Amino acid sequence: MQPPEAAAANPTRAERTLIRAINDTRAAHGVRRLSVGGTLQRYSHRWAAYLLRTSSFYHGSFRTDVRENIAWLTCRSGWQRTIVNMWLNSPAHRDALLDRSARRIGTGVAKGRWNGYRCVRMAVTRFR
């Protein structure tokens, strides 16, 4: 069994699903796919869990060369495409999502009760 630190560096199934949707969108816009960065992944994973656990919703603090998108959505099928489309429809989020200089990605997805909702997915994506 992996220690918690090592496990957090490996994306969960939901996180892999979101990464795939992001990379498919980047490819459709002529932008290179991103690979998972261990540190970015660990901190994104933790941040999504923290936001859900504390019923919070705000950007984290990180290095100046890191860009972050966050989103929350009630539980439903096709959630990853909905989140990516929300980001595409927002100029600042779109810029981060399609940043041509980005090479690495870290993604956190937490699912559970949040802020009075019975089921949400909290998503954090960091690009560098």
Side-chain angles (χ1 to χ4, degrees):
M1 183 168 201
Q2 289 182 321
E5 291 299 312
N10 297 317
T12 65
R13 189 169 117 191
E15 291 162 351
R16 287 191 311 271
T17 298
L18 183 56
I19 291 167
R20 190 173 319 115
I22 288 167
N23 274 330
D24 289 351
T25 299
R26 287 175 60 88
H29 286 84
V31 183
R32 87 179 54 153
R33 293 177 180 272
L34 302 169
S35 58
V36 174
T39 301
L40 284 172
Q41 180 58 38
R42 275 190 299 280
Y43 284 105
S44 298
H45 179 87
R46 287 185 200 150
W47 190 245
Y50 171 82
L51 292 174
L52 186 70
R53 185 177 67 252
T54 61
S55 287
S56 301
F57 189 72
Y58 59 94
H59 288 278
S61 58
F62 36 83
R63 295 171 29 168
T64 57
D65 64 341
V66 175
R67 300 182 75 182
E68 180 183 69
N69 284 348
I70 61 175
W72 71 269
L73 187 69
T74 56
C75 295
R76 62 180 88 168
S77 62
W79 61 272
Q80 70 280 6
R81 293 276 174 218
T82 301
I83 287 174
V84 170
N85 286 332
M86 288 169 32
W87 289 335
L88 284 172
N89 289 321
S90 163
H93 294 94
R94 181 186 182 94
D95 285 349
L97 180 70
L98 300 178
D99 183 351
R100 291 184 179 280
S101 69
R103 303 287 184 270
R104 302 242 183 264
I105 188 170
T107 301
V109 177
K111 180 180 174 184
R113 293 181 179 270
W114 179 79
N115 227 15
Y117 290 90
R118 290 185 325 162
C119 185
V120 301
R121 289 188 195 268
M122 182 68 63
V124 173
T125 302
R126 293 183 177 171
F127 307 92
R128 186 175 79 204

